[in-house]
Amino acid sequence: MSPPFDVHPEMMAQIEAAKALPPATSVAAWRANWAVYTDATRRPYPPGMVVTDRAVPLGGRSVKVRIYRPAGLGDAAPCIVYFHGGGFMKGDCDSSDTAAWGLAEESRAVLVSVDYRLAPEYPYPAAFDDCYGVTGYLAWHGRTLGIDGQRLAVSGDSAG
């Protein structure tokens, strides 16, 4: 059944994916449903987009990040530090992949997506500490990643 109004075809994929999801009865099931839902609109990277996963060292622990570098950017590029949505309980670099590379491509900046620790396994302020720590790391050590640490912007959606 179609909605009573025009819906963009890409949004219809998410609507159909959401309808097919089973009820979530645990945090793990909720996260699995979120992955299925966000995969419905995942798109391939544009030509020349370089994407790398790495770990940022932060005082005895490390935080996974995904770095998106659009084609044609030189060294010392501006950077967007991106915090995914999901209520601090779900989401990761995969679930925000298309939004992240799209923002990098449109802004012509390197984008660093932070895979912060999730609750309830890691209660507040773990997610904040990861996001803040990665931002500070990029400000001080961005040159090692081809980023100008003096030209940082912070972005995100929902909880991010």
Side-chain angles (χ1 to χ4, degrees):
M1 178 174 180
S2 297
F5 47 85
D6 291 334
V7 176
H8 192 279
E10 289 180 10
M11 193 65 205
M12 281 305 298
Q14 274 189 305
I15 291 169
E16 294 304 317
K19 286 181 191 176
L21 295 174
T25 57
S26 68
V27 172
W30 194 30
R31 289 175 181 161
N33 281 356
W34 186 249
V36 169
Y37 176 72
T38 57
D39 279 350
T41 56
R42 195 164 188 177
R43 299 292 176 261
Y45 300 131
M49 176 72 66
V50 176
V51 180
T52 52
D53 289 336
R54 68 174 289 154
V56 170
L58 295 178
R61 71 181 194 287
S62 63
V63 177
K64 180 184 164 199
V65 298
R66 182 166 294 158
I67 303 169
Y68 302 84
R69 180 177 287 277
L73 290 184
D75 290 339
C79 177
I80 300 169
V81 189
Y82 181 81
F83 312 128
H84 65 79
F88 298 117
M89 291 183 67
K90 61 185 177 180
D92 55 24
C93 290
D94 290 335
S95 67
S96 63
D97 190 63
T98 300
W101 71 249
L103 184 55
E105 184 74 10
E106 292 296 319
S107 67
R108 305 298 303 148
V110 172
L111 186 137
V112 177
S113 182
V114 181
D115 196 14
Y116 56 80
R117 293 172 288 172
L118 301 175
E121 297 89 343
Y122 299 97
Y124 176 86
F128 172 81
D129 289 344
D130 291 352
C131 295
Y132 185 76
V134 168
T135 303
Y137 178 88
L138 294 171
W140 286 101
H141 304 288
R143 289 265 187 220
T144 64
L145 301 171
I147 293 167
D148 179 353
Q150 299 300 305
R151 294 192 297 160
L152 294 178
V154 176
S155 181
D157 63 279
S158 186

